Amino acid sequence: MLVPIYGVEKYIEQCAISLFSQTYKDLEYIFVNDCTPDNSIYILEEVLENYPERRKQTKIISHQTNRGLGASRKTALAASTGEYIFNVDSDDYIPLNAVEKLVEVQRRTDADIVSGAFQYLTTEGIFIEKQPYLLDKVHTLKLLLTQNTILNNIWGRLIRKSLYTDNNIDSIEGVNMAEDYGLTTRLVCAAKNIAYTNDIVYIYRQGSASSTFGEIMNPRHVISILKANDAVIRFVQTYDKEKEYLFAMETGMLNTYYMGITAGFSKKQISDICFYEPNSVLFKLMHLLFANKPAKKLLRLSYLTTKWFYKRKLHFPY
């Protein structure tokens, strides 16, 4: 279990209890203290005292300076020794049988990635259940690449570690916004097969604003998003020899350009961070049209329209 920690003293106790109380016993816990300014680590240590059987399974690693979510996940992954990875955000928590349920599915299917149902916990204390879309690897990757279509969360998934190590996939230091998209999309691309369970394996706390994701979108965040997209594009292009995912990727890039232009970036500034050369005639034309800010509304409309038609083509009803 990989758990970055920053500014979560209100939530870390519940998170840690849920992790240490897992019915599945063969676990490794790696917490990364990213120079949290509060009492999160002290509270974590207090909780751990009540689980002496977990002490030898637990590592708490401290950064010397605050390096962000991407770097924290990178540090945790490098320190892990298990065959599978399970990411948890330290302001969330998981049901006591979450790992057991995911492992049962993995053993039955030999899947590289196993995802489960989860619950949103709203700021009003209401739980909203979300079941996974039971899609194969190809459809999952296409819908991820179109962006804002299916969830790209890295948390709540049991992931074979060799997907990271054999394919040179890792978090990118400095990429704290869209970090999940950059990781999950590449991991799904590298996976041979994926599987699901309808059991709830994660509780996601909405509106906790515990880390960089609680901040308002600004140019620094857009740079992070562009870097995440650049990593995805480079990886998928290397993998996709038959260009099966080309249309999905080009559709998603319309959204990427829209976010960049909306944040005040020029087309050149966007391309300097996330270079992409369109392949199809349709997207080459769009690429030329969207060279300036006045085209922003047209760009947004083109993205939404193209995505709608593509979802229909894929028979994705949502």
Side-chain angles (χ1 to χ4, degrees), residues 23 34 61-62 74 160 172 176 197 210 213 260 312-313:
T23 55
D34 194 30
I61 302 170
S62 295
K74 190 181 184 76
R160 196 187 301 269
I172 304 168
N176 303 311
T197 175
S210 64
F213 288 91
R312 291 287 295 266
K313 180 182 176 182

Side-chain angles (χ1 to χ4, degrees), residues 110 158 238:
D110 194 33
L158 191 69
T238 300

Side-chain angles (χ1 to χ4, degrees), residues 220-250:
R220 177 167 57 88
H221 292 147
V222 174
I223 291 172
S224 180
I225 291 169
L226 292 174
K227 288 181 177 179
N229 274 269
D230 184 66
V232 169
I233 289 168
R234 292 175 186 274
F235 189 88
V236 175
Q237 284 181 326
T238 300
Y239 170 90
D240 188 22
K241 303 300 184 184
E242 304 299 322
K243 300 189 184 300
E244 182 175 5
Y245 301 102
L246 178 61
F247 192 90
M249 189 161 53
E250 296 199 325

